[in-house]
Amino acid sequence: MLFLAILLSAGVSYLLGSFNSAILVVRLWKHQDVREFGSHNAGLTNTLRCFGKGCAVLTLIGDLAKGIVAVFLSREICMVLDTGLTAQQDVHFIGYIAGIFAILGHVFPVYYHFKGGKGVLVGVSVFLGIDWKVFLCLIVIFAIVLVITKYVSLGSIIASACCPFVTFGFQMWQRGDLPMWYIWLNTILSALMALWVICMHHANIERLLKGTENKFSIHSNKNNEH
């Protein structure tokens, strides 16, 4: 039953992640395709730059909700199928599986010809559903890097790189009776999510190295706003 729960959680999370908030919000509100503007990325930053704060806020809420709901549904699936896992194991092990496939759906959405965003917000929101302390720590790291450098992409990359280390640290702190192999498993799964997000920033990394990456601004691009 555990294997079935993993398969169902992965499938449901992928389909949920495939709903791209930026594409839906901009299409419904502005009657445009966000992928045709700015950086052509269906994500929060490009939505803010090209379509303003209103669309960006709704995109933020939608992307955060996907990760949280994916974790919640994966736990419910485990309970319904009576997998025998404890509540703590449900929220961690199955939660990470759900997170990986929610990010996969966001990056390669089946509803949008497999062209989506980079999965940063979805990945971070998964930790809000799994462990709010890890979530808070990653947000703080992201915010510090953003304030210092003004690069959203760099903040996302560094926060993602810190993800497995933060996960391992909090897992050890809250270890209780969990075996070490289980803690390492959760750490590896979180590392896979982090690596996925970093890989999706390959173009940003190239621009950062060349010094051509756009810096963050709260003001939208008036030339692209509709």
Side-chain angles (χ1 to χ4, degrees), residues 78-208:
C78 280
M79 292 178 62
V80 171
L81 294 180
D82 191 19
T83 59
L85 292 177
T86 66
Q88 188 178 24
Q89 289 172 328
D90 285 348
V91 73
H92 287 90
F93 171 66
I94 296 297
Y96 287 122
I97 296 294
I100 289 172
F101 279 89
I103 294 174
L104 179 65
H106 182 85
V107 176
F108 300 112
V110 66
Y111 312 124
Y112 306 106
H113 307 292
F114 303 101
K115 295 180 180 180
K118 296 176 181 176
V120 177
L121 285 174
V122 180
V124 171
S125 68
V126 167
F127 289 98
L128 183 57
I130 295 175
D131 190 330
W132 66 268
K133 294 179 289 296
V134 175
F135 169 83
L136 182 60
C137 189
L138 294 178
I139 288 296
V140 170
I141 293 171
F142 169 81
I144 291 173
V145 176
L146 178 60
V147 169
I148 294 174
T149 68
K150 299 297 188 289
Y151 289 121
V152 173
S153 57
L154 186 59
S156 301
I157 292 167
I158 292 179
S160 297
C162 292
C163 178
F165 301 101
V166 174
T167 297
F168 181 80
F170 278 108
Q171 289 267 296
M172 288 296 294
W173 178 38
Q174 305 168 121
R175 180 177 179 181
D177 60 350
L178 289 178
M180 277 303 301
W181 69 264
Y182 190 80
I183 293 176
W184 279 111
L185 175 61
N186 288 334
T187 302
I188 291 172
L189 290 173
S190 69
L192 289 176
M193 286 197 297
L195 182 61
W196 189 280
V197 172
I198 292 173
C199 287
M200 291 308 301
H201 281 79
H202 60 88
N204 301 88
I205 293 173
E206 291 179 3
R207 290 195 294 269
L208 284 167

Side-chain angles (χ1 to χ4, degrees), residues 25-67:
V25 168
V26 172
R27 183 168 293 170
L28 291 174
W29 192 343
K30 303 292 184 177
H31 308 293
Q32 299 287 348
D33 188 339
V34 65
R35 295 168 295 182
E36 297 178 355
F37 295 84
S39 66
H40 306 289
N41 178 54
L44 176 64
T45 303
N46 196 42
T47 301
L48 174 62
R49 286 173 178 159
C50 299
F51 294 96
K53 299 173 185 176
C55 287
V57 169
L58 292 178
T59 298
L60 173 65
I61 294 173
D63 282 351
L64 289 177
K66 286 196 298 187

